Amino acid sequence: MGETSNGSSSSSMSPVSVSSPSIVYVDLYGKRRQLAKVQVLEREIGVLQDEIKSLAELELASRCCKELEDFVEATPDPLIAVNQSRGRRRSCWKNFWRKIGSLIQCCCCCSTKGDCTCFPCAKDCCRGGRKKACSSGCCKCPEITCGCSCDSTCPKCSVCCCNSCLCF
Amino acid sequence: MSSSSVSELKERHIAATETVNSLRQRLNHKRLQLLDTDIAGYAKSQGKSPVAFGPTDLLCCRILQGHTGKVYSLDWTPEKNRIVSASQDGRLIVWNALTSQKTHAIKLPCAWVMTCAFSPGGQSVACGGLDSACSIFNLTSPTDKDGNIPVSRMLSGHKGYVSSCQFIPDENNYLITSSGDQTCVLWDINTGLRTSVFGVEFQSGHTADVLSVSISNSNSRMFVSGSCDATARLWDTRVASRAARTFHGHEGDVNSVKFFPDGNRFGTGSDDGTCRLYDIRTGHQLQVYSPPHQQQGGTVPDAPMVTSIAFSISGRLLFAGYSNGDCLVWDTLLAKVILNLGSVHNSHEARVSCLGLSADGSALCTGSWDTNLKIWAFGGHRKVI
């Protein structure tokens, strides 16, 4: 005669008495885990079958490549030189100037503006011998209250704060 | 009776495994038939010319110094050119990227931080790490008696480290995290509760640590995740029960995922040393970007791993940081390396661990294990037409 287990949470094993004097332990945790694995696989089978069916209507990779290339061509990029563009993209550049605004336009701003703060002009401002005073931004002290400006050591922290000025 | 059920289950498991393997082979074969070209092949057939970078076209124009430990993560604001960075020194630093000045230095309750993100409005930053939680700091909050900005909300619930976090675009109150517990979570910051958990059901999602997330800018309900199970998965935030699509191909951990600017493709970077580009609607792997020393084919032992990727605003450039300090700039269309920021003047002295583009696409910021962040911008001439 056999019995079902009590499914004790303290043990995954449950004794099943059989006609012989020996006790056979059933690994219920293992059985449940095995069942879960089978169910996951059977669900995966369904998903894979659906995906194979859907491939019949899927477009070729070349179509995706064309879409991607069209997008790239139509979108101006501030990190790529203008002379890479073609004439047909003038309208894109007009939109670009309008959208990006002064951040890019001040390529040669240093003659007219006192403080050039746009990224591309960091080097351009130094042409012709124009050098700006180093700002405290070069300080590598982790304390933001450290106001040292290219001093060799900062009194507020133990590290030597400023290397030679790297800005402008 | 019970023991025969177990053996029946084992037989069913073997049969189901064989069926799954056979279907996967059929699926791969059919997919290969649809891959009539890759991006580089198509671009060459259209007569595309490669992007040519001169030696001074992309220059390091700012060095952000202040961390005293490895930089692990960085994020730009959507506006005003501020950057938040996270470091092994246990701090978040908020920088004014134009002036290089620090505006905030936040000492973290848990120093083991792995990720950080700016809220869309720029008023809050989020971070997460080995504490298995995501902490939110409001930058306008008054500091405590020690001069620290207090945690304004702690998002707890993950059962493993928080590897990546990103705010939903245009939503200051929702963000998505990825975790070593193999799930991603969508959080409501106002309540601190989990709105959805992606992949929590047994084998419904990733089967190993999730390392990275990227949310689509064009459809903020879609995000992709990258995992140590060598796959990337596409999710719909309305359907947490299972991934919308799984992308295979990589042969190692997928460390970084990033949506392509058009929102219909995304890139990945992996421990196998390659970057890949996938199409979300078809599932096609459109391109593999293998550094030149790897192009003989096969996996190269000890090849530098890709740690982080980002696309330029047009998608024409793919920036990839590697574990050996390289930072390659790829021509996305022709799959060619056009510049290595790891070998130019002012390059980083150690691994590039994170990178990101400013919102207007005019600058790239790289963060490194050498404790610095660097900003790179176009240094060539630009003529007004």
Side-chain angles (χ1 to χ4, degrees):
Chain A
M1 53 199 167
E3 301 177 62
T4 54
S5 73
N6 58 14
S8 164
S9 60
S10 62
S11 169
S12 64
M13 306 294 279
S14 183
V16 176
S17 61
V18 295
S19 54
S20 74
S22 61
I23 303 284
V24 174
Y25 283 87
V26 176
D27 182 357
L28 291 171
Y29 175 67
K31 184 181 169 185
R32 288 190 194 117
R33 186 171 53 185
Q34 196 72 2
L35 182 61
K37 284 182 182 176
V38 168
Q39 286 170 343
V40 163
L41 284 172
E42 287 173 350
R43 185 169 60 180
E44 183 73 15
I45 287 169
V47 167
L48 287 167
Q49 285 170 337
D50 287 344
E51 197 171 337
I52 288 172
K53 276 185 209 160
S54 72
L55 289 184
E57 294 159 10
L58 218 55
E59 56 191 23
L60 293 173
S62 51
R63 178 97 187 126
C64 304
C65 295
K66 179 184 183 322
E67 281 179 10
L68 184 145
E69 190 177 295
D70 288 346
F71 174 87
V72 169
E73 288 294 312
T75 307
D77 197 319
L79 294 178
I80 299 178
V82 160
N83 59 11
Q84 306 267 354
S85 308
R86 300 286 178 257
R88 64 183 170 86
R89 294 193 198 89
R90 285 189 182 189
S91 61
C92 292
W93 281 107
K94 282 183 187 167
N95 289 336
F96 172 69
W97 293 123
R98 192 173 67 239
K99 287 177 187 171
I100 300 297
S102 61
L103 193 64
I104 303 298
Q105 280 177 342
C106 56
C107 194
C108 305
C109 70
C110 294
S111 58
T112 55
K113 291 188 182 179
D115 294 317
C116 172
T117 57
C118 60
F119 288 122
C121 291
K123 276 294 186 181
D124 288 352
C125 286
C126 288
R127 286 182 189 165
R130 291 175 63 92
K131 296 283 185 187
K132 287 192 161 194
C134 177
S135 70
S136 60
C138 68
C139 175
K140 67 175 187 178
C141 177
E143 300 298 328
I144 62 167
T145 53
C146 169
C148 73
S149 176
C150 289
D151 286 337
S152 57
T153 56
C154 173
K156 295 185 183 179
C157 53
S158 58
V159 298
C160 176
C161 268
C162 293
N163 295 326
S164 56
C165 183
L166 297 165
C167 48
F168 295 114
Chain B
M1 189 76 168
S2 302
S3 59
S4 62
S5 295
V6 168
S7 64
E8 259 181 21
L9 282 173
K10 283 184 179 170
E11 282 173 17
R12 273 174 69 187
H13 188 271
I14 291 169
T17 303
E18 280 175 13
T19 307
V20 162
N21 289 338
S22 161
L23 284 172
R24 281 195 182 141
Q25 274 189 345
R26 260 177 68 194
L27 185 62
N28 283 342
H29 179 69
K30 285 188 175 292
R31 277 206 169 273
L32 279 173
Q33 290 177 321
L34 292 170
L35 293 183
D36 55 334
T37 184
D38 60 9
I39 294 173
Y42 180 81
K44 282 175 197 154
S45 72
Q46 301 299 302
K48 257 278 146 284
S49 310
V51 173
F53 265 20
T56 58
D57 277 354
L58 201 58
L59 292 174
C60 175
C61 58
R62 301 286 191 280
I63 300 181
L64 307 182
Q65 295 178 305
H67 281 300
T68 54
K70 296 172 179 175
V71 176
Y72 282 136
S73 180
L74 67 90
D75 192 29
W76 289 83
T77 42
E79 52 176 312
K80 293 186 185 171
N81 287 317
R82 286 183 299 154
I83 296 171
V84 62
S85 58
S87 164
Q88 191 187 48
D89 63 12
R91 293 170 186 264
L92 297 184
I93 295 182
V94 180
W95 313 82
N96 179 321
L98 287 172
T99 63
S100 308
Q101 289 179 327
K102 307 172 195 62
T103 61
H104 301 81
I106 303 171
K107 205 163 175 187
L108 299 173
C110 171
W112 305 107
V113 63
M114 298 174 69
T115 180
C116 60
F118 244 120
S119 65
Q123 291 203 319
S124 299
V125 292
C127 68
L130 293 186
D131 58 352
S132 303
C134 186
S135 303
I136 312 293
F137 297 88
N138 187 326
L139 298 177
T140 61
S141 296
T143 53
D144 61 20
K145 57 179 171 52
D146 298 320
N148 291 322
I149 296 180
V151 177
S152 62
R153 179 71 72 190
M154 179 84 82
L155 307 176
S156 302
H158 273 301
K159 296 184 176 65
Y161 61 87
V162 174
S163 51
S164 181
C165 62
Q166 186 181 349
F167 281 82
I168 304 277
D170 302 322
E171 290 277 357
N172 287 305
N173 293 314
Y174 289 91
L175 66 76
I176 293 179
T177 52
S178 63
S179 172
D181 67 6
Q182 306 181 8
T183 70
C184 299
V185 172
L186 170 65
W187 301 87
D188 180 333
I189 294 172
N190 280 336
T191 60
L193 298 177
R194 292 172 287 186
T195 302
S196 301
V197 184
F198 304 91
V200 70
E201 287 179 35
F202 181 57
Q203 297 207 342
S204 67
H206 285 294
T207 55
D209 301 17
V210 189
L211 300 177
S212 179
V213 287
S214 174
I215 304 171
S216 169
N217 268 323
S218 48
N219 179 358
S220 57
R221 283 200 296 263
M222 307 303 292
F223 71 94
V224 290
S225 57
S227 167
C228 292
D229 65 11
T231 71
R233 291 181 201 236
L234 175 69
W235 301 88
D236 184 326
T237 54
R238 299 166 295 181
V239 182
S241 53
R242 64 175 300 116
R245 198 181 282 282
T246 301
F247 301 85
H248 299 273
H250 277 297
E251 296 172 3
D253 298 358
V254 178
N255 297 312
S256 181
V257 290
K258 205 59 64 79
F259 259 97
F260 195 76
D262 72 352
N264 291 320
R265 264 67 60 169
F266 70 93
T268 54
S270 168
D271 272 2
D272 66 11
T274 69
C275 300
R276 294 175 197 236
L277 193 66
Y278 295 92
D279 184 280
I280 64 169
R281 291 170 306 180
T282 59
H284 293 327
Q285 178 183 281
L286 298 178
Q287 188 64 55
V288 180
Y289 301 92
S290 288
H293 61 268
Q294 272 185 260
Q295 282 171 7
Q296 286 78 22
T299 307
V300 175
D302 301 326
M305 301 174 289
V306 181
T307 59
S308 49
I309 65 166
F311 288 103
S312 68
I313 201 170
S314 69
R316 184 65 193 262
L317 304 176
L318 166 64
F319 300 94
Y322 293 76
S323 54
N324 64 349
D326 283 348
C327 183
L328 300 185
V329 184
W330 290 87
D331 179 332
T332 317
L333 294 186
L334 290 165
K336 293 275 184 224
V337 177
I338 53 179
L339 191 60
N340 181 1
L341 297 178
S343 59
V344 298
H345 179 57
N346 272 335
S347 60
H348 282 291
E349 294 165 11
R351 172 190 293 217
V352 172
S353 54
C354 50
L355 43 79
L357 269 289
S358 61
D360 63 5
S362 67
L364 167 76
C365 183
T366 53
S368 168
W369 283 10
D370 69 6
T371 78
N372 293 330
L373 291 95
K374 296 190 185 218
I375 298 180
W376 310 79
F378 182 72
H381 260 298
R382 185 164 277 124
K383 294 178 188 171
V384 179
I385 299 171

